[in-house]
Amino acid sequence: MVKEYIASNKDRFLEELFQWLRIPSVSADSRHKEDVRDAAEFLKKKFIESGVDTAQICETKGHPIVYAEKIVDPALPTVLVYGHYDVQPADPLNLWNSPPFEPIIKDEKIYARGSCDDKGQVFMHVKAFEALMKLNLLQCNIKFMVEGEEEIGSDNLDLFVKANKEKLKADVILISDTALISLNDPSVTTGLRGLSYMEVEVTGPNRDLHSGVYGGAVANPVNVLCNMIASLHDENGKVTIPGFYDKVAELTTSEREALNKAPFDLSAYKNEIGIKEIKGETGYTTLERTGARPTLDVNGIWGGYTGEGAKTVLPSKASAKISMRLVPNQVSSEVAELFTNHFNAIAPPYVTVKVQAHHGGEPAVTSIDSIAYKAASKAFEDVFGKAPIPTRDGGSIPIVALFKKELGLDTVLMGFGFDTDAIHSPNEHYGVKNFTLGIETIVAFYKHFSNA
Ligand code: BES
Ligand code: MN
Ligand code: MN
């Protein structure tokens, strides 16, 4: 019945999703402020059309939050679905094979910014809800909270959650914003990393200098910054910031076994991203390195002359954006402080450094023993014919830890993307099959959750 409903409405579902994907809801770029709002309004309309009791645009200091609910019976359990309708900037535009906000289907995949992260995945929930309503299958309450600032750190969602605890009262959080191993090896994410995001600036001379006149006698801030960054890892790929690993929960033997049970094809992994060799912390597998170990990476670095041709200059300043991915039980603000102290301490006397902390977020692990996880597991069995493998993803959804802290709620991370979907990159895409199977799995989740 559900399968037929999805199959016979698939074209309309996709057409509606395409309309949404055409709205460039780039939260980071103030030129898209109105587009972000339009995307929120569009979603509100879709919630109303699919049969919610109420749908609202909730204002924040930044981009609005879309809230909707269907209360079948206050005595029944309630699922709170979270997602985000904002997207990453699309640039570099020239690397897209088709325009990022003109969705197309090619090889059974939807190509567009946000197709996977996270509009495509949020839309599965809207359509699963529509199916539940149309087929009269809904036996629990559902609340939806879809924000427009996930990609810029969810600062205002934080306040919204703290101020609306009663409104958000629920039994479990359900999120589709993570990845599956493959359609043959379904998985449910049970861990996410946290994040500390820093920006550093190194200043040498008080102005740009002629690199011939002064070069060799005055420290070059770009060279100095490169040295400082290089010193942040040792020869074993460990981060050298004192205290960085102090709170890291080492995996137990059985946790390691479980984590490494997930199928992983190293040569496919390397081929797909075009590298000859992998590189990481000595003593850990790739799945451990991305799922359960903390990291430090430069996200961007600039300084000096980067225009056309050659300009001989010894720049006055150099800067970098550096992020650290965190694992339990690291604390984002503490790691930001360790970084700040260390970066100041290693600054040589011939430069001055400025360190600034951007947004952060806490790591999270979710239970595989909860009623909701078991319902998700059964739903995957129904639709994929296999119980899902619990995995840990390397990405971050800081709100998961916040839900636990503020609302006392566990989350089930039922994502349907693939790691290879190029989220945040040019040519982001999302499988049509992932989309339709996702809808089916979500519907099955509600069935098992309500019957538990
Ligand atoms: N959906 C991603 C996070 C993600 C991706 C989790 C893949 C698991 C697998 C989310 O939209 C995201 O990009 N989060 C940011 C953090 C945020 C604070 C900007 C991230 O992980 O960089
Ligand atoms: Mn996302
Ligand atoms: Mn994202």
Side-chain angles (χ1 to χ4, degrees):
M1 202 161 58
V2 174
K3 248 189 160 55
E4 286 84 81
Y5 186 83
I6 297 168
S8 55
N9 290 282
K10 177 179 150 189
D11 291 345
R12 176 175 57 86
F13 289 178
L14 288 171
E15 187 35 53
E16 290 178 20
L17 171 60
F18 277 29
Q19 285 177 22
W20 201 27
L21 291 171
R22 286 188 194 109
I23 307 172
S25 48
V26 181
S27 51
D29 188 341
S30 57
R31 287 170 301 181
H32 286 296
K33 194 162 182 270
E34 282 312 307
D35 295 318
V36 176
R37 179 166 297 270
D38 288 350
E41 292 285 355
F42 181 92
L43 179 61
K44 176 185 163 188
K45 201 168 120 227
K46 291 297 147 192
F47 275 132
I48 292 169
E49 285 170 12
S50 48
V52 296
D53 299 330
T54 55
Q56 307 157 352
I57 300 279
C58 304
E59 298 301 334
T60 73
K61 276 193 199 137
H63 301 299
I65 294 163
V66 182
Y67 177 83
E69 64 177 34
K70 175 75 202 175
I71 307 298
V72 175
D73 175 349
L76 289 171
T78 301
V79 176
L80 173 58
V81 177
Y82 162 83
H84 62 95
Y85 67 84
D86 64 323
V87 301
Q88 285 276 324
D91 43 298
L93 283 174
N94 61 319
L95 295 182
W96 284 78
N97 298 326
S98 59
F101 299 107
E102 294 173 27
I104 54 155
I105 293 180
K106 211 177 98 192
D107 305 328
E108 284 302 294
K109 295 179 198 97
I110 307 158
Y111 281 85
R113 172 57 87 230
S115 56
C116 174
D117 185 11
D118 184 31
K119 282 170 165 169
Q121 298 208 58
V122 167
F123 215 63
M124 298 183 314
H125 284 270
V126 180
K127 292 302 141 182
F129 176 71
E130 179 193 305
L132 288 164
M133 292 302 290
K134 282 272 161 34
L135 302 173
N136 215 353
L137 294 172
L138 185 61
Q139 292 170 47
C140 65
N141 305 311
I142 308 187
K143 296 177 175 178
F144 297 96
M145 179 174 68
V146 185
E147 69 155 317
E149 299 192 313
E150 195 274 346
E151 300 291 8
I152 51 172
S154 304
D155 285 348
N156 294 299
L157 185 71
D158 225 85
L159 301 174
F160 183 80
V161 169
K162 287 177 182 151
N164 289 279
K165 290 192 180 173
E166 195 54 38
K167 185 185 185 109
L168 301 175
K169 224 169 160 189
D171 295 277
V172 70
I173 310 276
L174 182 60
I175 302 180
S176 296
D177 193 23
T178 51
L180 278 180
I181 298 173
S182 74
L183 296 182
N184 292 323
D185 300 294
S187 55
V188 170
T189 303
T190 59
L192 291 163
R193 289 195 284 192
L195 188 69
S196 284
Y197 202 111
M198 315 296 295
E199 184 163 337
V200 299
E201 186 187 72
V202 174
T203 304
N206 59 9
R207 59 185 169 89
D208 285 3
L209 305 173
H210 189 290
S211 65
V213 176
Y214 290 95
V218 176
N220 180 324
V222 178
N223 297 23
V224 173
L225 175 60
C226 290
N227 281 331
M228 290 174 77
I229 289 171
S231 78
L232 297 177
H233 286 99
D234 71 11
E235 64 284 3
N236 293 315
K238 280 221 156 37
V239 175
T240 56
I241 298 170
F244 186 76
Y245 292 95
D246 283 2
K247 291 204 171 170
V248 170
E250 293 292 332
L251 292 174
T252 64
T253 312
S254 62
E255 279 174 333
R256 286 188 91 160
E257 272 168 16
L259 215 148
N260 290 303
K261 245 196 238 149
F264 177 73
D265 181 340
L266 182 60
S267 60
Y269 182 84
K270 292 193 289 190
N271 284 338
E272 202 267 325
I273 51 174
I275 56 167
K276 289 193 294 256
E277 279 308 329
I278 48 163
K279 168 103 175 70
E281 189 182 355
T282 307
Y284 295 92
T285 66
T286 299
L287 291 175
E288 290 167 354
R289 286 169 177 170
T290 58
R293 297 298 296 169
T295 60
L296 181 150
D297 276 292
V298 178
N299 296 260
I301 183 163
W302 64 99
Y305 184 68
T306 56
E308 197 183 334
K311 176 191 177 194
T312 50
V313 60
L314 195 164
S316 165
K317 284 181 192 300
S319 304
K321 294 189 193 274
I322 300 173
S323 68
M324 291 162 283
R325 293 282 168 176
L326 315 179
V327 299
N329 301 308
Q330 287 177 297
V331 178
S332 167
S333 57
E334 291 176 7
V335 171
E337 195 182 328
L338 291 175
F339 178 95
T340 305
N341 292 341
H342 181 64
F343 209 75
N344 281 313
I346 62 172
Y350 33 80
V351 293
T352 55
V353 307
K354 258 203 296 212
V355 182
Q356 181 201 344
H358 287 286
H359 59 238
E362 307 311 325
V365 285
T366 62
S367 158
I368 58 168
D369 298 317
S370 67
I371 291 170
Y373 184 90
K374 286 177 186 154
S377 181
K378 284 185 194 153
F380 273 98
E381 270 191 80
D382 286 357
V383 177
F384 291 79
K386 277 184 192 175
I389 301 165
T391 54
R392 291 201 195 193
D393 284 358
S396 307
I397 308 178
I399 205 68
V400 173
L402 191 92
F403 283 142
K404 184 76 193 174
K405 183 167 155 247
E406 295 298 330
L407 305 175
L409 293 181
D410 276 323
T411 294
V412 174
L413 293 159
M414 220 163 72
F416 296 91
F418 291 148
D419 280 347
T420 53
D421 282 347
I423 62 172
H424 295 206
S425 301
N427 305 309
E428 176 176 353
H429 53 274
Y430 189 45
V432 174
K433 229 173 159 177
N434 300 54
F435 178 72
T436 53
L437 290 174
I439 298 172
E440 208 183 322
T441 311
I442 293 165
V443 171
F445 168 84
Y446 285 108
K447 179 178 100 187
H448 292 296
F449 181 73
S450 306
N451 293 337

